[in-house]
Amino acid sequence: MAEFSQCFITNEGFNLLAKALKGQKLEFTKCVAGSGFLPEGQKITELTDLIEPRRDMGIERMYIPGKVGTVIVTASFSNEGLIEGFLLREIGLFAKDPDTEKEILYSYCNAGNFPDPIPAQDSPSPVFYRFNLTTFIEQAPNVSAVYVENPLHVTYVEMQESIDKTILYLREKIDSLQEQINILSGISIENSRKELDNIAEEVI
């Protein structure tokens, strides 16, 4: 796997974050995969786009882990329809400016000399990539994302949530059945007592 650096926020990203901290919406729209080397002397904070953007990655999920001031964005893509392979070396996370509606490069990371080769579609087997990007959002109160529907791929968190919901549902059903059994058992015992009392009275 590629060895990506930490995601760094760009200057435009910091401008968006400043707006978000004042209550405006911070909406992540997509991730983009690229193959570009970071030029010597190039500051990530000054980037406004990937150096060599190659493929958009749809956002599947966004998760804010407690109060640590970060967000985890899960993005994915496949090599379906990819005519020419490339080296996956850079990833950018984009967000929408609430004032201009323009998509801006919010944060960026680069794997340098340790990229991942992405083959073209005509390779022997299909390729599917999923990334969890962690980036800084301070304590922005209104953070969201534009999600892409991807019914063929389920994340681990989604699978665990589905399992938890199923277990909760089954427990509720079991509790309900047990309550009905207890009620029926009580009725049965009460009826047996009445029958015994009637028999005793007849004998007497």
Side-chain angles (χ1 to χ4, degrees):
M1 291 291 292
E3 297 181 16
F4 284 101
S5 64
Q6 174 185 348
C7 279
F8 293 92
I9 300 180
T10 65
N11 288 336
E12 290 191 345
F14 275 115
N15 289 337
L16 273 192
L17 181 56
K19 295 179 182 181
L21 291 174
K22 294 179 181 179
Q24 288 186 274
K25 187 176 182 180
L26 176 57
E27 183 178 47
F28 296 111
T29 55
K30 66 180 180 181
C31 292
V32 178
S35 58
F37 267 109
L38 194 65
E40 185 176 354
Q42 172 68 58
K43 295 181 179 179
I44 290 178
T45 54
E46 296 176 351
L47 290 175
T48 58
D49 198 355
L50 274 68
I51 297 160
E52 292 182 27
R54 300 297 297 268
R55 198 161 183 83
D56 285 2
M57 298 194 291
I59 296 176
E60 290 187 0
R61 187 177 179 83
M62 185 193 77
Y63 172 62
I64 299 176
K67 299 181 179 180
V68 297
T70 60
V71 63
I72 299 173
V73 175
T74 301
S76 64
F77 78 100
S78 72
N79 65 341
E80 181 179 357
L82 187 63
I83 298 175
E84 181 181 356
F86 68 96
L87 293 176
L88 174 58
R89 183 176 283 113
E90 52 179 345
I91 297 178
L93 174 61
F94 286 76
K96 183 186 293 185
D97 188 319
D99 294 324
T100 66
E101 298 294 308
K102 176 185 175 183
E103 281 188 322
I104 65 98
L105 179 62
Y106 183 85
S107 61
Y108 175 91
C109 57
N110 196 296
N113 294 320
F114 303 98
D116 269 344
I118 306 298
Q121 177 178 294
D122 58 5
S123 63
S125 58
V127 173
F128 177 78
Y129 271 73
R130 177 179 283 122
F131 297 90
N132 290 320
L133 305 177
T134 301
T135 193
F136 186 64
I137 57 168
E138 186 63 51
Q139 299 300 325
N142 189 5
V143 183
S144 64
V146 177
Y147 299 108
V148 61
E149 293 187 6
N150 193 354
L152 297 180
H153 304 285
V154 179
T155 66
Y156 172 81
V157 175
E158 289 169 339
M159 180 179 67
Q160 190 60 54
E161 286 180 348
S162 179
I163 292 173
D164 291 342
K165 288 179 181 178
T166 301
I167 292 174
L168 179 61
Y169 172 79
L170 291 175
R171 283 176 176 170
E172 290 175 348
K173 284 295 182 182
I174 291 172
D175 290 342
S176 177
L177 288 172
Q178 186 62 56
E179 184 177 349
Q180 293 180 41
I181 290 171
N182 292 340
I183 293 173
L184 292 173
S185 296
I187 293 174
S188 178
I189 292 172
E190 183 63 26
N191 288 338
S192 298
R193 287 176 178 172
K194 288 181 180 179
E195 289 179 7
L196 290 173
D197 290 342
N198 291 334
I199 293 172
E201 288 177 0
E202 291 177 0
V203 171
I204 295 173

